[in-house]
Amino acid sequence: MKHACHYASRLASDSLDRPLTLWERIRLKLHLSICNNCKNCDNNLKLMRQINELMRINDYGHIRLSEQQLKHLHQALDSDTKA
Ligand SMILES: [Zn+2]
């Protein structure tokens, strides 16, 4: 992995946990505009975050999704596979 890709993937991961600085956002967007590998990684990170937010464990230890959440998840997965 190139140094620029390593830095971009770290920024993409950090962006899920904290707001990036203006300079970090610019560097990440610039890199994602020219690197498909990192763009795919960024999309996958966002998708995993969405899935994590959609899934809630109920009192019985089962994951329960509403119909709307299932529809949203399917749409996210479909758009990711078409990208
Ligand atoms: Zn890259």
Side-chain angles (χ1 to χ4, degrees), residues 15 17 25 29 34 69 76:
S15 73
D17 298 324
R25 288 196 311 267
K29 282 194 178 284
I34 60 169
Q69 288 172 321

Side-chain angles (χ1 to χ4, degrees), residues 66-80:
S66 69
E67 287 298 318
Q68 186 176 5
Q69 288 172 321
L70 279 172
K71 184 178 176 183
H72 181 76
L73 181 58
H74 281 283
Q75 288 171 342
L77 289 169
D78 283 346
S79 67
D80 187 57

Side-chain angles (χ1 to χ4, degrees), residues 9 25 39 45:
S9 65
R25 288 196 311 267
K39 187 175 180 179
L45 277 174

Side-chain angles (χ1 to χ4, degrees), residues 9-24:
S9 65
R10 196 188 71 182
L11 284 180
S13 178
D14 286 355
S15 73
L16 299 175
D17 298 324
R18 66 172 176 87
L20 298 181
T21 65
L22 177 61
W23 181 238
E24 288 173 330

Side-chain angles (χ1 to χ4, degrees), residues 49-66:
R49 171 57 68 97
Q50 283 181 318
I51 291 170
N52 192 43
E53 289 173 355
L54 285 173
M55 292 183 168
R56 296 285 182 255
I57 307 294
N58 67 18
D59 293 339
Y60 305 103
H62 299 110
I63 295 170
R64 193 165 71 189
L65 298 175
S66 69

Side-chain angles (χ1 to χ4, degrees), residues 5 31 35 38:
C5 292
H31 185 78
C35 181
C38 287

